[in-house]
Structure formats: structure tokens, C-alpha cells
Amino acid sequence: MNKATFDRVSSWVFDLDHTLYPRQNCLFDQIEVKMTDYVMQNLGINRERANRLRKNYWNIYGTTLSGLMKEYSIDPKKFLHDVHQIDFSVLEPSPDLGEAIANLNGRKIIYTNGTAIYAQEVLTALEILPVFDSIYGVENADYLPKPEAGAFEIIFKKDGISPQNAAMFEDDPRNLIAPKSLGMQTVLVGQNHLEKPNHVDFVTNDLGYFLRQIV
């Protein structure tokens, strides 16, 4: 990586789940169980079918919520409240990551397909909440989810982000397509990415280490 690549970056946009903490924590596994339970109860179907529907909607629409809203007109507020009632104690504090993010020059933003309140809970458990200047959830994009380009445009406009002077960190390659098309530097985070898609500038399995190289 050429450190100078990030010299023009003044806005640092971070996804949350599986970006700021590893999959091994299994935090999101709890949410997936809650989503399956919600689908079962509200659509009156068995667990196997509900779980399959949850996965299909995530693949087709970007999030399970988006699929349920489009196919069944569910209330997103109740869904998001219910599925985020989970145990955050599985997360371990990440002071080194917090320090690496804090040392970046410019604004530090969280943008997640979860809710802003949920993001605050995660960041509190990681003990890095004060590092970030703003937190945006799916509700701040009028429930339009990543990877839809319109969702990014809403959030970036609200925060005054100039994509040409910004970088995005994500664990889902789909969610970097729109940022790259807008002119952002894109970084794919996680241990399961064996190849680098054309719309991804960098891949790392250690976000803290990657950020320290920039500084």
C-alpha cells in the first residue's frame, strides 16, 4: 500500500458488523436468529422456511428488512427494535483499533445497515464510541439499505462528505460498488476474501494494522 494514496482523504467511513470486530465474536449470529424468529412469528411459517427467506432476501435486496418491507410492507421500526435485543458482552474491547482510528486525520463516520442506536451499543462494548464524529443507521437513509447507491447518496449528503476525499471500509464487497463509483477509496475488510474485486482498492484482514500503516 502506498501511504500517499490516502493523503487526500478527510472523511473516513466505516461499516460496523464484521468490519470493526471479527466474525468469530458471533454477535451477528444472534441477530440472524432474531430475524428468523421475527419472520416465523409475523408470516406464520416454520423455522426452516423462515431462515431460507431471511437469507434469500439478504441476497436479493441487500438486507432481510428491505425484502420484508417490499414483499410484506412490515414496520421497519418494530423489526429493527426486536432483532437488536441481543447480548453485547460477547464483544471484547478494542482500544488499539480505537487509537488507530482516532489518529486518522479528518472525520470518522459509522454507516451501518443496522440502527444508529445498535451501532452505539456495539461501539460502547468495543470501548471506541468517542472516536467517531457521527453515526448513521439504515433509518437515516429512509430505510434504504446498502448496497443501493441512493442510500449512500443520502448519508453522504447529510454528513457533507465529498466522495473524492473519502474512504470506505466494509466487509461486504457489494457495499463498496457504489462508493467506488462515486470516487471513494475502498477497503475490503475480513479474513474470508481470497480475491480483490475490481471496485476494491485494498483488502485487509487486520483493520488496525492497515490503519496504522496509513498514519
Side-chain angles (χ1 to χ4, degrees), residues 71-166:
E71 300 287 345
Y72 293 97
S73 300
I74 69 155
D75 177 7
K77 293 181 181 179
K78 185 177 188 314
F79 173 88
L80 289 166
H81 174 270
D82 289 357
V83 303
H84 288 133
Q85 302 308 302
I86 58 173
D87 176 17
F88 293 93
S89 68
V90 299
L91 295 174
E92 298 180 1
S94 300
D96 290 345
L97 176 61
E99 182 180 5
I101 295 173
N103 286 335
L104 297 170
N105 291 320
R107 286 175 57 75
K108 295 88 175 179
I109 311 299
I110 291 290
Y111 176 30
T112 173
N113 271 338
T115 64
I117 292 176
Y118 164 71
Q120 291 174 10
E121 294 274 11
V122 171
L123 297 173
T124 298
L126 294 174
E127 298 183 3
I128 60 175
L129 177 62
V131 169
F132 294 95
D133 298 292
S134 294
I135 299 173
Y136 297 98
V138 68
E139 72 274 25
N140 301 121
D142 301 327
Y143 299 103
L144 194 66
K146 297 182 284 186
E148 295 195 33
F152 291 96
E153 291 169 359
I154 291 171
I155 296 300
F156 294 168
K157 182 177 181 180
K158 284 186 175 182
D159 200 79
I161 292 173
S162 172
Q164 291 76 22
N165 300 109

